Amino acid sequence: MAVFDSSPLQSSYRQIGEQFYTDQLPTPVGKPALIRVNPALAEQLNLSLSELQSPEALQVFAGNSVPPTSTPIATVYAAHQFGGWNPQLGDGRAILLGEVIGKDQQRYDIQLKGAGQTPYSRRGDGRSALGPVLREYIVSEAMAALGVPTTRALAAVTTGDRVVRESYLPGAILTRVASSHIRIGTFQFFSAQGDVDSVKTLADYVIERHYKAAVEASDEDSYSALLTCVMQAQARLIARWMAIGFIHGVMNTDNMLVCGETVDYGPCAFMDAYNPNKVFSSIDSHGRYAYAKQAEIGHWNISWLAQALLPLMDASQEVAIKKAEKILNAFSPVFTQTYQQLLAEKMGFASAGAEVNQLSVDLLQLMAAEATDFTLTFRGLSDYLAPEAERYFLNKLVSLPETFQAWVARWQAELARQNVAPQTAHQLMLKTNPSYIPRNHIIAAAIEQATGEEDFSLFHQMVDVLAKPFEYSEENASFAIAPKPEEEVLHTFCGT
Ligand code: AMP
Ligand code: MG
């Protein structure tokens, strides 16, 4: 049984021009073994689960064989990395097998991450260690279940080969799915060379693939409309990250997809204790990508897409710049509006407003002052509105210091003033405040078990629990509890 038989791979990106990629086969590995396939995602992608679970599929996920309909490529891009310009990057360890059309009639990339060297590998080995593959699988699938636009994990395999990092580590490959892997940095690569024709080809492709209806409905010229779409997608995405305490950690322009999905789960992390200045990434020494800086950086990144699109937006540079400025100026309002709305819902209000916004500002200030757990504080507050028998969090998994009492009274008074029934507010809070997030210390433990003892049980358990992050059952309490001080993970590392 061949994989992708019932759903042949397409290669629309390859067809837009050979300047966008290099043909590149995956490099075979020694002794592949399946870690996990994702049945729910397979179904969404119209892929046959029995094909994906076949021995032939394992060889494909490992890069040892290529489906007959695939013409694998590595794509080229550039980037600002930590603010510094890098004119030539590309898929250094990722190979795009092709695209499939999902149940929703949308096109999805199927990519192998860790499948060997490409012309863009620079000094890298083109491989992934097992740890980062498990981390990306856990966190990206959790993000999807939390309702955040994200790349997905279709499968993970071990390679049977060792990769050399600080020590020898087992190698692994992730089969990653994205609405597309086109980055802001892809536009920058051509823009920096003054290749406006290629920028136009790419922009037209992105409009057709991601934003056709919105661009057609817009009063703006197509490329201003495209910039508006990507700006809005990024601003809303970052608001969603912040509403669940997520820190991306490496918001370089090559890690920002124009489709608006979260990509590159390298040094990312969810905060435990709330601290707006929180940084996890060991290489982010200046806190460039700190939690509360993410919107500002998103805006900066989008300005580079604007720069690339300028020549297409108007023949007059002056007019084009005016148009771009107007769009970029809308980033902050779109972000703020989305963020305030999400926070309002986390407190049980259907919509934001001056009083509700003040409540969220004051709550976050209290949380910062008392360093309470971000996730458990919000979920704990919902207990005030829950029937006695359903109060699982407050004074069990989280206790809110005395200083919260005045705030709680104000919050409840505002709910009453707005005539929000406690039950209604409670239901909304249960849908907007997860019980479970991918906690760093548990990810670390799952990786350690898998790497050290070849025991994947904690990894599987974590993926299963995080598939339903808003539900709660006491038997899975260990996945909800905040780390003890000695368990806390202080730094995360890039997945290289
Ligand atoms: P990242 O920081 O993960 O976004 O990666 C930045 C660039 O380095 C991308 O172009 C990657 O393809 C490349 N890269 C990362 N790790 C490796 C590796 N092990 N081998 C080759 N290229 C890599
Ligand atoms: Mg990257």
Side-chain angles (χ1 to χ4, degrees), residues 77 81 93 113 176 183 250 252 254-256 263-264:
Y77 47 85
Q81 297 175 301
R93 54 165 165 175
K113 184 173 173 185
R176 181 162 71 181
R183 303 142 194 272
V250 60
N252 297 336
D254 57 325
N255 293 333
M256 298 290 114
V263 74
D264 205 320

Side-chain angles (χ1 to χ4, degrees), residues 135-180:
R135 165 179 276 273
E136 178 158 351
Y137 197 118
I138 293 165
V139 184
S140 67
E141 284 306 302
M143 291 285 268
L146 289 162
V148 182
T150 178
T151 62
R152 302 287 304 269
L154 181 64
V157 302
T158 48
T159 60
D161 298 334
R162 299 261 137 188
V163 297
V164 189
R165 296 294 181 263
E166 311 81 50
S167 57
Y168 284 92
L169 294 168
I173 299 174
L174 184 79
T175 303
R176 181 162 71 181
V177 175
S179 287
S180 85

Side-chain angles (χ1 to χ4, degrees), residues 228-264:
T228 300
C229 287
V230 179
M231 176 276 289
Q232 290 175 342
Q234 284 293 331
R236 289 177 185 143
L237 177 69
I238 294 167
R240 290 202 169 275
W241 290 352
M242 291 182 61
I244 50 173
F246 178 78
I247 304 170
H248 183 283
V250 60
M251 293 175 70
N252 297 336
T253 56
D254 57 325
N255 293 333
M256 298 290 114
L257 297 183
V258 293
C259 68
E261 291 174 355
T262 313
V263 74
D264 205 320

